[in-house]
Amino acid sequence: MVWDVLNVIGTIAFAISGAIIAMEEEYDILGVYILGFATAFGGGTVRNILIDLPLSHIWQQNILFYIAILVIGIVFFLPNSWIESYSKWAWGVFFDAIGLGAFAIQGALYAYNMNHPLIAVVVAAALTGAGGGVIRDLLARRQPLILKKEMYAVWAMMGGLIVGLGLANHDILLYFVLALIVACRMLAHHYGWQLPRKKRKGEESSA
Amino acid sequence: MVWDVLNVIGTIAFAISGAIIAMEEEYDILGVYILGFATAFGGGTVRNILIDLPLSHIWQQNILFYIAILVIGIVFFLPNSWIESYSKWAWGVFFDAIGLGAFAIQGALYAYNMNHPLIAVVVAAALTGAGGGVIRDLLARRQPLILKKEMYAVWAMMGGLIVGLGLANHDILLYFVLALIVACRMLAHHYGWQLPRKKRKGEESSA
Amino acid sequence: MVWDVLNVIGTIAFAISGAIIAMEEEYDILGVYILGFATAFGGGTVRNILIDLPLSHIWQQNILFYIAILVIGIVFFLPNSWIESYSKWAWGVFFDAIGLGAFAIQGALYAYNMNHPLIAVVVAAALTGAGGGVIRDLLARRQPLILKKEMYAVWAMMGGLIVGLGLANHDILLYFVLALIVACRMLAHHYGWQLPRKKRKGEESSA
């Protein structure tokens, strides 16, 4: 039940993020819907493909589909100034972090319960949590932001690692993992944490 | 038999559209073939993946493959002026519309006969009809045009909706759906119909 | 055994090529890893999807994963000047050619042993050999280089054609095919061989 609520929050947050980027690219209302859906459901789709889960599961999420349809419609008709506020708003980051965490844990559990090796569990967590955003950015012809900013996928992978090592073998522990992912994501956003990247011009390599 | 002919027309129209865009991007002849094939067969491939159909079916379309190989070769060797004419030519839009309609109906029927929920039928129609064009645009590093122009995917979804609601339970009715899609697509192209999009600078939201 | 060594060489060469492009795009260290992995393992993943092979196979390549993790880490911490040298270095092209050839033959054999039609064998060879590079370029928002340069995918397809026609029905012959692919790739690089492409401005078509 709690996980259902978290899934709903995550779906809403991801659908909104896709819809906003589509509007920035001046896509029409269908494009806004496609990008919203791709962001909300794309990560889970790619995960199912990669760990040999049938995709029919995706098509049974009827309630989540209706919620996404409603939410994207609302976003489309809201005044632009509200949308700009949302993007800067701490609650927006918070909802997105819940989506990242809930999706990552759910993806990791799928792979873990299929006895996939550890690396598959970590990848499933990263794809489920952050894969929708990559698909969104590809469809909007943007550089995939999660490859550059605020260690986004790292927190999903951290969650996948904990699940994959069998350290979260109780429901209560999964909530701790979720809280950890959300906290890390919020702190990374607030303090602008970055993973090291390679300097290019003028300087020698610094990692 | 009639559907086979429609499929051939659609494959030819889609292969040509991929080949032309590849030549505009100055891809070499292999790139022209890859983009032509991706446009003609990419939509059906993605659809099969998403509705859990085996892909071996794709590899049995031998005649369509040979037709695509031939057509793309012809396009490559035609004078540029002929290609420019084709792009502006109403028959080109007409053939493309037949491809959109035939592929959309075929995709919708696949999903419908597998008892997938309505939304899966609509998505299968959209992917089969318009998905090849999205793959084409991604490989050519262009903004997916169908997200912005002339309601392209809408007509495929309309067809999917009619099929998914069980309203086209007779062959003769499927031809009506095809004619409807083709007519809508031609009218949308001719009159430049657009779905609403969000204004961004200066104005407040207008849907 | 020999093929295992060739696979390792190919994986290393492809992982390096993905990592270098990620660093050129100023991705952070996670982005460098993702692009390195996508290049090394993406081609085989897409091939498995397209010829209906389960993907669980991908997840059992534990040794290759550890090698890729190590190699990408080393590349990240190397001085920039070394990396620039690598890109220009003939051995770099040679290793990449081994990867292209070994992956193409492996992909072709998979499809051939599943009794797929000839065109599927050729496509499987091309995807396994060159697909990782396409995924790499898409994620880095670059024009897929293999669609334009030095007939890259052609050699993989040539290998697929030989395997698919049943001409390489002995291990020793497969080594000849590999040597042929590597030799063609090196010659094409050295002499700047190009497939024909279409002239656009001013001139009439010249194929």
Side-chain angles (χ1 to χ4, degrees):
Chain A
M1 181 54 212
V2 177
W3 287 105
D4 288 343
V5 173
L6 296 171
N7 254 333
V8 169
I9 294 176
T11 302
I12 293 174
F14 283 13
I16 291 175
S17 98
I20 288 178
I21 285 190
M23 293 190 299
E24 288 175 6
E25 296 287 325
E26 306 199 359
Y27 286 173
D28 62 30
I29 187 167
L30 180 66
V32 172
Y33 265 98
I34 291 176
L35 222 60
F37 265 79
T39 313
F41 302 104
T45 306
V46 174
R47 176 206 61 215
N48 278 22
I49 293 172
L50 286 189
I51 63 174
D52 286 328
L53 267 177
L55 289 169
S56 36
H57 167 83
I58 304 279
W59 301 111
Q60 257 102 59
Q61 305 171 304
N62 269 314
I63 301 166
L64 290 180
F65 284 144
Y66 294 129
I67 291 173
I69 289 173
L70 187 71
V71 165
I72 297 170
I74 292 173
V75 169
F76 188 81
F77 288 99
L78 283 182
N80 280 335
S81 55
W82 292 24
I83 293 166
E84 274 165 38
S85 315
Y86 177 84
S87 302
K88 292 176 198 145
W89 187 46
W91 283 98
V93 182
F94 180 63
F95 291 153
D96 187 86
I98 290 177
L100 176 70
F103 281 24
I105 290 170
Q106 178 206 30
L109 287 173
Y110 271 120
Y112 184 66
N113 292 331
M114 291 173 75
N115 294 313
H116 277 297
L118 180 59
I119 195 154
V121 179
V122 172
V123 169
L127 281 173
T128 320
V134 173
I135 296 173
R136 174 198 66 205
D137 291 338
L138 286 180
L139 284 176
R141 281 206 334 163
R142 298 185 168 196
Q143 221 177 24
L145 272 187
I146 68 142
L147 301 179
K148 299 185 78 166
K149 280 225 331 196
E150 292 163 11
M151 310 177 66
Y152 194 86
V154 170
W155 314 122
M157 295 171 80
M158 179 185 68
L161 194 66
I162 296 172
V163 171
L165 290 171
L167 300 176
N169 49 7
H170 194 289
D171 247 25
I172 222 72
L173 290 171
L174 289 177
Y175 290 116
F176 275 107
V177 177
L178 176 67
L180 183 67
I181 295 176
V182 172
C184 287
R185 168 81 185 107
M186 298 294 288
L187 288 169
H189 179 77
H190 188 257
Y191 292 106
W193 290 352
Q194 299 282 341
L195 286 175
R197 91 188 49 198
K198 194 103 171 190
K199 295 279 195 314
R200 286 173 72 205
K201 305 229 173 68
E203 304 107 328
E204 261 308 270
S205 91
S206 91
Chain B
M1 181 54 212
V2 178
W3 287 105
D4 288 343
V5 173
L6 296 171
N7 254 333
V8 168
I9 295 176
T11 302
I12 293 174
F14 283 13
I16 291 176
S17 98
I20 289 178
I21 286 190
M23 291 189 300
E24 287 176 5
E25 296 287 326
E26 306 198 0
Y27 286 174
D28 62 30
I29 187 167
L30 179 67
V32 172
Y33 266 98
I34 291 177
L35 221 61
F37 265 79
T39 313
F41 302 103
T45 306
V46 173
R47 175 207 63 212
N48 278 22
I49 293 173
L50 286 188
I51 64 175
D52 287 327
L53 265 179
L55 289 170
S56 36
H57 167 82
I58 303 279
W59 301 112
Q60 257 103 59
Q61 305 171 303
N62 270 314
I63 299 166
L64 291 181
F65 284 144
Y66 294 129
I67 291 172
I69 288 173
L70 187 71
V71 165
I72 298 169
I74 292 173
V75 169
F76 188 80
F77 289 99
L78 283 183
N80 281 335
S81 56
W82 292 24
I83 294 165
E84 274 164 40
S85 315
Y86 177 84
S87 303
K88 292 175 199 147
W89 188 46
W91 284 98
V93 182
F94 179 62
F95 291 152
D96 187 84
I98 290 178
L100 177 70
F103 281 24
I105 291 170
Q106 176 205 33
L109 287 174
Y110 271 121
Y112 183 66
N113 291 332
M114 292 173 74
N115 293 313
H116 277 297
L118 180 59
I119 193 153
V121 179
V122 173
V123 169
L127 281 173
T128 318
V134 173
I135 296 174
R136 176 197 65 207
D137 292 338
L138 287 180
L139 284 176
R141 282 202 337 158
R142 299 185 168 195
Q143 223 177 24
L145 272 186
I146 68 144
L147 301 179
K148 299 186 79 164
K149 281 227 326 200
E150 290 162 11
M151 313 177 63
Y152 194 86
V154 170
W155 313 122
M157 295 171 79
M158 178 186 70
L161 194 67
I162 296 171
V163 171
L165 290 171
L167 300 176
N169 48 6
H170 195 287
D171 246 26
I172 221 71
L173 290 171
L174 290 176
Y175 291 114
F176 275 109
V177 177
L178 177 67
L180 184 66
I181 296 177
V182 172
C184 288
R185 168 81 186 106
M186 298 293 288
L187 288 170
H189 178 78
H190 188 257
Y191 292 106
W193 291 350
Q194 299 281 341
L195 286 175
R197 87 190 50 199
K198 194 103 170 189
K199 295 279 194 317
R200 288 173 71 205
K201 305 229 172 68
E203 306 106 326
E204 261 311 88
S205 92
S206 90
Chain C
M1 180 56 211
V2 177
W3 287 106
D4 288 343
V5 172
L6 296 171
N7 253 332
V8 167
I9 294 174
T11 303
I12 292 174
F14 283 13
I16 291 175
S17 99
I20 288 178
I21 286 189
M23 292 190 299
E24 287 175 6
E25 296 288 326
E26 306 199 358
Y27 286 174
D28 62 30
I29 187 166
L30 180 66
V32 172
Y33 265 99
I34 292 175
L35 222 60
F37 265 78
T39 313
F41 303 104
T45 306
V46 174
R47 175 206 63 212
N48 278 22
I49 293 173
L50 286 189
I51 63 175
D52 286 327
L53 267 178
L55 289 170
S56 36
H57 167 82
I58 303 281
W59 301 113
Q60 258 101 58
Q61 305 171 302
N62 269 313
I63 299 166
L64 290 180
F65 284 145
Y66 293 130
I67 290 172
I69 289 173
L70 187 71
V71 165
I72 298 170
I74 291 172
V75 170
F76 189 79
F77 287 101
L78 283 183
N80 281 337
S81 54
W82 293 24
I83 294 165
E84 276 166 40
S85 315
Y86 177 84
S87 303
K88 292 175 201 148
W89 187 47
W91 283 99
V93 182
F94 179 63
F95 291 152
D96 187 84
I98 290 178
L100 177 70
F103 282 23
I105 290 171
Q106 178 205 31
L109 287 173
Y110 271 121
Y112 183 66
N113 292 331
M114 291 173 75
N115 294 313
H116 277 297
L118 180 61
I119 194 155
V121 179
V122 173
V123 170
L127 280 173
T128 319
V134 174
I135 297 175
R136 174 197 67 204
D137 291 339
L138 286 179
L139 285 176
R141 280 203 338 160
R142 299 183 169 196
Q143 221 176 23
L145 273 187
I146 68 143
L147 301 179
K148 300 186 79 165
K149 280 226 328 195
E150 291 163 11
M151 314 176 63
Y152 195 86
V154 170
W155 313 123
M157 295 171 79
M158 178 186 68
L161 194 65
I162 296 172
V163 171
L165 291 172
L167 301 177
N169 48 7
H170 195 287
D171 246 25
I172 222 72
L173 290 170
L174 290 176
Y175 291 115
F176 275 107
V177 178
L178 177 67
L180 184 67
I181 296 177
V182 171
C184 288
R185 168 80 186 107
M186 298 293 289
L187 288 170
H189 179 78
H190 187 256
Y191 293 105
W193 291 351
Q194 300 280 341
L195 287 173
R197 90 190 48 201
K198 194 104 170 188
K199 297 279 193 317
R200 287 173 71 205
K201 305 227 175 65
E203 305 106 326
E204 261 308 91
S205 93
S206 90

